[in-house]
């Protein structure tokens, strides 16, 4: 709980800093690393953001999982680079990929890598090239709950699978009680919430449940759509988090930043390691660091280990990709896309992630992305 309070305080402090201007970055090309505040003090505003030839409006859409990170990145980038507007719509990974393959956006955000058929579709838009997956932000998929009188909860793969498949219906079910012998579990009915839209967050939860509870989770783990029986649907991570907060007996899944923003307590996951693992950026980073690159060439699609039993590694994780053409990007938006992605994957861009409930990319993977972004054409 101390760590959760710490995360909440950090998220609140971050919002206050953004409002006060403490995170305001210097204009591109400026040599002045300080800005006068209203009381005459100097506020540090050093920035390594390179605007290059960025200008005009860039349309992008996709993952709502990265919305809070994207909000920070866009704010910082636009403050540094006058005359640029990054317009990102958090409509879900599936919607973002559709807009990208239809040529409606310059890049898309997705919590899962492009499928082969989506790569093929992208070739119609990326003239002479194709869409590639560029990992940009990681983090835990937190399982938030609202059970009055219960401020700590441990669940494992099989119990989570049965809860989300409407097989476990009451909070005092024997399976939950065995994992939480000291908790005073009520007989309240479980209200399980899932995403109504196509979502990479849903797909990553699917992958975890399939890996951790294959006997209990029989659904397609490649699907971005919710296929389990029963439950209630809400749009986007924000919708699920809001529903859990407002509903007694509720449980749902969303990125950690949404849990902290909604003041929701999250489940500790029993992975079979020495101790249950809390959903924190540090614990997610331990799991993401073990990821392997399965893409070829400039495609950096990752293979994650959802069944990890490593000590302190939180298993329900996702990595959000920014999807762009390796070749054939629109000339009018290419400079801005490259400048923006150069910033988001930079040390400066990655540093703000942990303060917002996300996990920065492992050093080796970030380095590869930094090599590829400048080659986009």
């Amino acid at each position: 709980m101390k760590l959760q309070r710490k995360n909440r305080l950090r998220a609140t402090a971050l919002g206050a800093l953004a409002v006060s201007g403490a995170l305001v970055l210097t204009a591109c090309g400026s040599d002045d690393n300080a800005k006068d505040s209203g009381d005459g003090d100097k506020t540090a505003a050093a920035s390594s953001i390179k605007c290059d030839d960025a200008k005009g409006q860039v349309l992008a859409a996709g993952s709502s999982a990265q919305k809070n990170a994207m909000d920070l990145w866009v704010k910082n980038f636009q403050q540094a680079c006058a005359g640029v507007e990054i317009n990102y719509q958090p409509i879900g990974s599936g919607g973002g990929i559709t807009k990208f393959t239809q040529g409606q956006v310059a890049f898309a955000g997705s919590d899962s890598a492009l499928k082969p058929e989506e790569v093929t579709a992208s070739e119609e838009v990326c003239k002479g090239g194709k869409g590639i997956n560029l990992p940009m932000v990681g983090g835990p998929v937190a399982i938030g709950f609202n059970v009055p009188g219960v401020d700590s909860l441990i669940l494992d793969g099989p119990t989570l699978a049965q809860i989300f498949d409407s097989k476990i219906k009451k909070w005092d079910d024997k399976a939950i009680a065995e994992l939480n012998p000291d908790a005073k579990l009520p007989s309240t009915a479980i209200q399980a919430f899932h995403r109504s839209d196509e979502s990479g967050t849903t797909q990553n939860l699917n992958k975890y449940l399939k890996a951790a509870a294959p006997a209990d989770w029989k659904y397609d783990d490649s699907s971005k759509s919710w296929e389990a029986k029963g439950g209630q649907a809400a749009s986007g991570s924000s919708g699920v988090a809001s529903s859990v907060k407002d509903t007694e007996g509720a449980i749902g899944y969303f990125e950690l930043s949404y849990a902290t923003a909604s003041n929701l307590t999250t489940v500790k996951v029993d992975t079979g390691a020495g101790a249950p693992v809390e959903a924190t950026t540090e614990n997610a980073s331990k799991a993401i660091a073990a990821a392997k690159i399965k893409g070829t060439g400039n495609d950096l699609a990752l293979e994650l280990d959802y069944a990890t039993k490593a000590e302190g590694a939180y298993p329900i994780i996702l990595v959000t990709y920014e999807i762009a053409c390796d070749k054939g990007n629109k000339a009018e938006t290419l400079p801005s896309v490259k400048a923006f992605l150069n910033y988001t994957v930079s040390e400066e861009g990655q540093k703000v992630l942990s303060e917002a409930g996300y996990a920065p990319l492992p050093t080796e993977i970030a380095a590869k992305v930094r090599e590829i972004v400048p080659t986009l054409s």
Side-chain angles (χ1 to χ4, degrees), residues 62-68 71 89-92 111 141-142 193-197 199 201-202 233-247 252-264 358:
S63 165
S64 66
Q66 68 169 358
K67 177 188 180 298
N68 294 329
D71 286 348
Q89 299 177 325
I91 61 175
D111 307 325
V141 177
F193 284 88
H194 57 265
R195 291 279 291 271
S196 60
D197 50 325
S199 162
T201 310
T202 294
S235 178
S237 291
S238 59
V240 175
S242 178
S243 297
V244 172
K245 183 176 182 178
D246 294 341
T247 307
Y253 60 95
F254 29 75
E255 294 66 45
L256 182 61
S257 60
Y258 290 94
T260 48
S262 297
N263 233 15
L264 288 169
Y358 294 93

Side-chain angles (χ1 to χ4, degrees), residues 30 46 53 78 103 113 138 181 196 228 240 259 265 282 292 343 348 358 372:
S30 172
D53 297 320
Q78 290 183 171
S196 60
V240 175
T265 307
E282 294 85 355
K292 298 179 180 178
Y343 160 61
E348 183 177 339
Y358 294 93
I372 293 171

Side-chain angles (χ1 to χ4, degrees), residues 281-294 301-315 317-319 321 359-365:
T281 56
E282 294 85 355
N283 293 343
S285 292
K286 291 178 183 178
I288 294 171
K292 298 179 180 178
I293 296 175
K294 64 178 181 180
L302 302 177
E303 182 177 346
L304 303 174
D305 182 8
Y306 299 93
T308 180
K309 295 182 179 180
E311 295 296 331
Y314 184 78
I317 51 177
L318 60 76
V319 170
Y321 302 91
L361 293 175
T363 303
E364 298 79 3
I365 294 173

Side-chain angles (χ1 to χ4, degrees), residues 131-145:
I132 57 173
N133 303 286
L134 300 173
M136 200 60 69
V137 54
V141 177
I143 308 295
F145 65 95

Side-chain angles (χ1 to χ4, degrees), residues 341-362:
L341 297 184
N342 274 326
Y343 160 61
T344 61
V345 77
S346 70
E347 290 185 12
E348 183 177 339
Q350 291 290 300
K351 185 178 180 180
V352 304
L353 295 178
S354 58
E355 297 172 344
Y358 294 93
L361 293 175

Side-chain angles (χ1 to χ4, degrees), residues 58-67 70-71 74 85-93 96 107-111 320-322 340:
V58 174
L59 299 179
S63 165
S64 66
Q66 68 169 358
K67 177 188 180 298
M70 188 63 70
D71 286 348
V74 169
E85 179 187 354
I86 308 295
N87 185 343
Y88 183 82
Q89 299 177 325
I91 61 175
S93 298
F107 69 90
S110 176
D111 307 325
T320 292
Y321 302 91
E322 309 310 337
F340 180 65

